[in-house]
Every structure is written in structure tokens, then in C-alpha cells.
Amino acid sequence: MGFLSGKKILVLGVASKLSIASGIAASLHRNGAELAFTYQNQKLKDRVLKFAEGWGSTIVHPCDVTDDSQIKDLFSKIGDSWENLDGIVHCLAYAPANELNGNYVDVTTRQGFLTAHEISSYSLVALAQEGRELMKGRNGSLLTLSYLGALRSLPNYNVMGLAKASLESNVRYMAASLGPEGTRVNGISAGPIKTLAAAGIKSFRKMLEHNAKQTPLRRNVTIDEVGNAAAFLCSDLASGVSGEILYVDGGFNTTAMGSLNDQTAP
Ligand code: NAD
Ligand code: 0WE
């Protein structure tokens, strides 16, 4: 009997075994949750089906969050398998690649700005609207993934930083909206992790090395560590937590001067 047994949770954003959504799914499964999954496009379908099977799930549906009808169909199909829903884990983001490389003021476009905000922030409330009925009165939990670039500027993160700022505010407004019906809404702000979304980013390796050296724990975090924090937030262990952004970053966001050296002890 895990602390999530009896919970039915929908996970969006599995693209590979390195995905943060995969670390989260593994922990949710390990701790007893029943899972359902989505895939963004046909290219990812078979892969996600295979991962789902590994986590004991056959409930796998398409959902490109830019398409209202796919979001609607998703919850109608979830409703065919499950009478109710205890959690939605939103683990996706996108900005066009050319927005994530170069001087922010130089490279930002109207369309890139809109796309980043639509996919990375608007989608959270769009999913909540359609999932609302299934989650009502069950102490359900919505969870999303953010990054420190929401609050601080850093090279190349650019318009994604604005989209994450919007996403974090979205968490607080949604917590206020859905709290009265028992649904909690939270975010995890994860430290940098090498995933597919990170693979295309110029000098990501350099950033990972810098981050490890400057972090209190002197290392980067893993998708398993993010997964365990996610399992907690989706569970009744976190029944008093809503509207919160939980940092799973080895303490990086709490420091200012960095470490000044690279020793492993303080
Ligand atoms: P990933 O590439 O494994 O996952 C990104 C997912 O977004 C993919 O599954 C992709 O299919 C999905 N996606 C993109 N556009 C979509 C659309 N229109 N409709 C549906 N799905 C769409 O990368 P990841 O690093 O695991 O990213 C997951 C989340 O974690 C993102 O919100 C990201 O911003 C956040 N995050 C990542 C890091 C990091 O360093 N990797 C750090 C903090 C937060
Ligand atoms: O949120 C993210 C990355 C999200 C992301 C990644 C891509 C790459 C491929 C969104 N859109 C795209 N579009 C693509 O075409 N992270 C927190 C990881 C990340 O990305 C960075 C980072 C970090 C950290 C980009 C620049 C600087 C730092």
C-alpha cells in the first residue's frame, strides 16, 4: 500500500526516458497510483504506449495542447475509463528554437511570444477547465513544472522565462479558483536537467557544470528527485499545500554569491 494507492493521475509530457514526466510517472507508479498518459503527436504514440505499459497503464490518448478539440476529447476518453480523476501532471513547455538563442530583445517575436505562452502557460488552465468535473470534491491535485528563469533572467532562456512567470501566476490564480471545490494547484521549480527539451539548447552542458558547482548540494538534481517531490504534492501528504512553487534544485535559488570555489564541503 503506497501513499498514492487509489489515486488516478493523468500525466502529460512523456517524450523519452529522460523526460521529467518519466521520473514523475515512475515515482507515482512506485507509490501506488494508477496512471494515464498523453502523447503530443503520432511520432511519439508508440513510445508512450510502451512506457505506459511499463508503469502498468493502457490508458494512452493523444493531446496536442494547441488544439481545443484534443483537450476536450482527452477528458471525455479519460471519463470512459475512469469515473473520476485525482490528479493532472502538466509537464510540457515550448518556445520556437530561435527564441531560445541570443539576446532577448533582439530575438523575441510576437508569434514566438504567443506560442510560448499558449503552450507553456495557457494550456494549464485549458486542461483544468476540461478536467474539472472529473476532479471535483476529491481533494484532487494539479501540478506543473517551472524553472527559476521565471524570476531571474539568464542567458538564452528569454521568452520562456516570461512564459514560466505566467505559469507560476497561473498556479496561484487556479489555486484560488479551484480551492473551494477541494482541488489543489502547485508547481515544482526544478533545477536544470538534461532532457530532450534541453538537448537543443546551446551550451546547456556548460550550464549544467556551472549549476552543479554553484549549488549548495554541489550537484544537479535528477528526474527521480523531481518525481518524488511530485508524488508528495499529488498525495494527501500535501493536503494543506496549494498555490505553492516547490524548489527541487539542490538549493540553488537560495544562494547569491555562489560557492567561490568548487570544493565538495562548505
Ligand atoms: P521533454 O522534452 O522530455 O518534455 C517536454 C514535453 O513537452 C514533451 O513530451 C513534448 O511532447 C511536450 N510538448 C511540447 N509541445 C506540446 C504541445 N503542443 N502539446 C502537448 N505536448 C507538448 O523535456 P522536460 O525537460 O522533461 O520538460 C518538461 C517540463 O519541465 C517543461 O515544462 C520544462 O519547462 C520543465 N523544466 C525542465 C527543466 C530542464 O532543465 N529540463 C528544468 C525545469 C523545468
Ligand atoms: O524549460 C526549459 C526548456 C523548455 C523548452 C525547450 C525547447 C528546446 C527545443 C522550450 N522550448 C523548446 N523549443 C525547442 O525548439 N528548461 C528549464 C530547460 C532549459 O532550457 C534553456 C535553459 C534551460 C535550463 C534554454 C536556455 C537557457 C537555459
Side-chain angles (χ1 to χ4, degrees), residues 52-183:
E53 196 186 330
W55 298 310
S57 169
T58 55
I59 311 175
V60 180
H61 300 300
C63 185
D64 182 321
V65 296
T66 59
D67 184 345
D68 286 333
S69 69
Q70 289 191 34
I71 296 180
K72 231 183 191 18
D73 290 353
L74 167 64
F75 287 98
S76 123
K77 287 179 200 148
I78 293 287
D80 294 340
S81 309
W82 289 345
E83 263 169 43
N84 39 51
L85 180 63
D86 300 292
I88 302 174
V89 180
H90 174 273
C91 213
L92 52 93
Y94 179 79
N98 55 324
E99 304 269 332
L100 299 177
N101 184 14
N103 180 295
Y104 170 66
V105 175
D106 288 343
V107 302
T108 303
T109 67
R110 183 187 300 272
Q111 193 51 52
F113 185 108
L114 290 172
T115 299
H117 283 73
E118 179 189 9
I119 297 179
S120 314
S121 178
Y122 171 74
S123 62
L124 184 66
V125 66
L127 290 162
Q129 284 168 352
E130 296 303 325
R132 190 172 194 169
E133 270 315 304
L134 282 170
M135 293 189 71
K136 229 173 215 163
R138 293 186 59 81
N139 302 324
S141 165
L142 300 182
L143 180 65
T144 188
L145 265 294
S146 191
Y147 178 60
L148 185 59
L151 305 183
R152 317 267 182 80
S153 69
L154 67 145
N156 300 322
Y157 200 60
N158 296 353
V159 77
M160 267 312 303
L162 284 73
K164 290 301 192 189
S166 165
L167 177 69
E168 292 186 5
S169 188
N170 211 344
V171 164
R172 293 184 285 273
Y173 275 89
M174 287 171 61
S177 284
L178 300 175
E181 57 203 57
T183 303

Side-chain angles (χ1 to χ4, degrees), residues 14 22 25-30 33 35 37 46-60:
V14 173
S22 298
S27 184
L28 296 176
H29 174 65
R30 205 165 46 242
L35 302 179
F37 295 91
D46 289 342
R47 209 185 305 171
V48 176
L49 272 167
K50 210 189 79 211
F51 284 122
E53 196 186 330
W55 298 310
S57 169
T58 55
I59 311 175
V60 180

